[in-house]
Amino acid sequence: GNTQYRSEMKTGKPFLIAGVPIAGLALHSWSGNGGVASAWTPPSQHRHAVRHDPRRPTATSSSRRRTGTVALSSSTDLDIASLHLTPELEMMTNAFSSIPDEKTRHKQLLYMASKLAPAGEGVYVPDNKVPGCLSTVHVDCTVEKKQGGDDDDEEGLVVNYFGDSDGLLTKGLLALLIRGLSGCTPEQINAVDPQFIQAAKISQTLTPGRNNGFLNMLAVMKRKASEAVERETDGSNGSTTDGDDAAAETAINEDAAENNNSNIVTSFDTIDGKPMYNAMLSSLIPILKPASITLTDNSSQHAGHAGSKGWEESGESHFALEIVADAFEGLNLVKRHQLIYMLLGEVMPKIHALEISAKSTSEVK
């Protein structure tokens, strides 16, 4: 019971919430009957210097339970079921939301970063780099047959991720996504609503820039899941008479032909001395895969405009963006603009004015 639990606490063994080891906690008490952990606080370095003041009222144990206890199945303002989370991601969302202390949630992300498996040198290539992150992030995935699944059927294949980041907190966010999405089908992964970061109360720990980076990571991982399974099924359906190498070559040729016919913008010409222009297109093109995109720098028409960080750094402040992409299908004007703002990440605060024309491909046919 309580005696055994307190003994384990003193030995430094990690405390588990929904299977997630919580690092560095100091729990006040534990109730085995209801599965409720009292609120915890980081141990004070000066706790021995604190003296009890008899004139100050002391809270009763019942009042502490009313104000300081958090059920492991704590509810949030968001309906978890509506977020379409994977089983592992739902478990971790509930676990993080059960931690009442923001600093402890931050520590837990750092702990998860320290446990992330090495990704291997092959991951550090431009195609695996996540745009719009404050830290450098690389992520990729492999595909394997789901137990009882069919190799020729996309629903019989699941995705496993691996990756790395040079920022500890960002690496913790990546570790959370890798653990939460690995072992799932692309359909499950693409259905995940990014608002789960709010339900898990993790967004309280993040700056706006890191929050945008998190959304970009999730968007890239969703895209990679669909592409990896599509390549796998194309390869499985190709000719195998000359072995796996011939099948792989056939799949690559088919992908190349498909890309040539799809009229998707995949690159752009960088402009020397225009870091914001280059960064904006580098963030938008890989994720949105536009059929057409034109970014016009109108900064010269507003020379010397005060209050623009971009103007002070590189003489860039005013832009006009025209973009056509399938990603805008079904989104209203506000959501299209919000998607673009999100992808631009840390560049947005430097822009004084951005005029946007965002259309779906069906709207221009």
Side-chain angles (χ1 to χ4, degrees):
N2 264 356
T3 304
Q4 181 182 358
Y5 174 74
R6 292 181 183 276
S7 175
E8 291 179 355
M9 263 193 358
K10 293 177 181 178
T11 62
K13 294 182 179 179
F15 176 63
L16 300 180
I17 289 185
V20 179
I22 306 298
L25 303 187
L27 296 180
H28 294 324
S29 62
W30 170 260
S31 171
N33 295 330
V36 176
S38 294
W40 53 80
T41 55
S44 171
Q45 297 178 348
H46 308 287
R47 62 183 181 275
H48 297 298
V50 177
R51 298 181 180 276
H52 172 64
D53 186 349
R55 294 170 296 177
R56 181 177 298 172
T58 302
T60 63
S61 59
S62 60
S63 66
R64 282 198 299 266
R65 281 194 295 269
R66 283 197 306 270
T67 61
T69 59
V70 178
L72 298 186
S73 57
S74 62
S75 60
T76 64
D77 294 336
L78 293 170
D79 180 13
I80 297 295
S82 68
L83 301 179
H84 308 292
L85 304 183
T86 67
E88 187 74 9
L89 203 52
E90 181 176 351
M91 178 270 292
M92 289 192 291
T93 297
N94 286 327
F96 270 94
S97 67
S98 299
I99 305 174
D101 182 75
E102 181 179 340
K103 291 183 179 179
T104 306
R105 285 193 293 273
H106 183 97
K107 287 182 179 180
Q108 180 59 21
L109 288 172
L110 299 182
Y111 175 82
M112 295 184 73
S114 70
K115 298 299 180 182
L116 184 62
E121 292 299 323
V123 76
Y124 303 107
V125 296
D127 286 346
N128 295 334
K129 186 176 180 180
V130 178
C133 290
L134 296 177
S135 303
T136 302
V137 182
H138 291 87
V139 65
D140 202 2
C141 63
T142 59
V143 177
E144 67 179 12
K145 180 181 177 182
K146 182 169 60 176
Q147 186 173 3
D150 185 353
D151 285 336
D152 296 333
D153 182 5
E154 291 189 9
E155 295 183 358
L157 299 172
V158 295
V159 176
N160 291 307
Y161 291 97
F162 56 94
D164 192 18
S165 173
D166 60 359
L168 282 179
L169 184 59
T170 304
K171 188 174 182 178
L173 294 171
L174 179 62
L176 182 141
L177 287 175
I178 287 176
R179 176 173 172 177
L181 301 179
S182 291
C184 298
T185 66
E187 289 75 16
Q188 291 174 303
I189 294 169
N190 279 280
V192 170
D193 190 328
Q195 289 191 85
F196 81 85
I197 192 175
Q198 299 173 0
K201 301 180 182 178
I202 296 175
S203 58
Q204 301 174 11
T205 309
L206 308 179
T207 62
R210 283 202 172 90
N211 187 66
N212 286 334
F214 175 84
L215 296 174
N216 291 343
M217 280 190 281
L218 179 58
V220 169
M221 294 172 78
K222 287 183 176 184
R223 172 175 60 81
K224 280 186 168 289
S226 299
E227 292 176 348
V229 169
E230 184 178 353
R231 286 195 302 268
E232 183 73 16
T233 52
D234 286 346
S236 298
N237 293 331
S239 173
T240 58
T241 55
D242 293 329
D244 293 339
D245 291 342
E249 183 178 354
T250 300
I252 291 172
N253 290 335
E254 289 175 351
D255 287 343
E258 182 180 352
N259 287 334
N260 289 334
N261 295 329
S262 61
N263 195 29
I264 298 298
V265 178
T266 58
S267 62
F268 69 99
D269 295 328
T270 59
I271 300 178
D272 293 338
K274 297 292 183 181
M276 287 177 59
Y277 173 91
N278 297 332
M280 291 169 71
L281 290 179
S282 295
S283 298
L284 296 174
I285 290 176
I287 302 298
L288 297 179
K289 294 187 174 182
S292 67
I293 181 170
T294 302
L295 181 63
T296 305
D297 184 356
N298 296 322
S299 304
S300 61
Q301 302 174 16
H302 308 272
H305 203 295
S308 171
K309 187 176 181 180
W311 176 263
E312 296 172 358
E313 292 181 354
S314 60
E316 300 171 276
S317 59
H318 292 66
F319 294 90
L321 174 67
E322 296 181 12
I323 181 170
V324 177
D326 288 336
F328 298 129
E329 191 70 45
L331 299 181
N332 60 33
L333 182 63
V334 172
K335 290 189 178 296
R336 293 179 186 188
H337 287 199
Q338 288 176 340
L339 176 59
I340 291 171
Y341 297 153
M342 178 195 75
L343 293 176
L344 291 179
E346 65 268 25
V347 180
M348 274 305 302
K350 300 179 182 181
I351 300 174
H352 187 81
L354 176 60
E355 180 182 347
I356 300 176
S357 171
K359 298 181 180 179
S360 67
T361 50
S362 63
E363 293 172 333
V364 297
K365 290 181 179 179

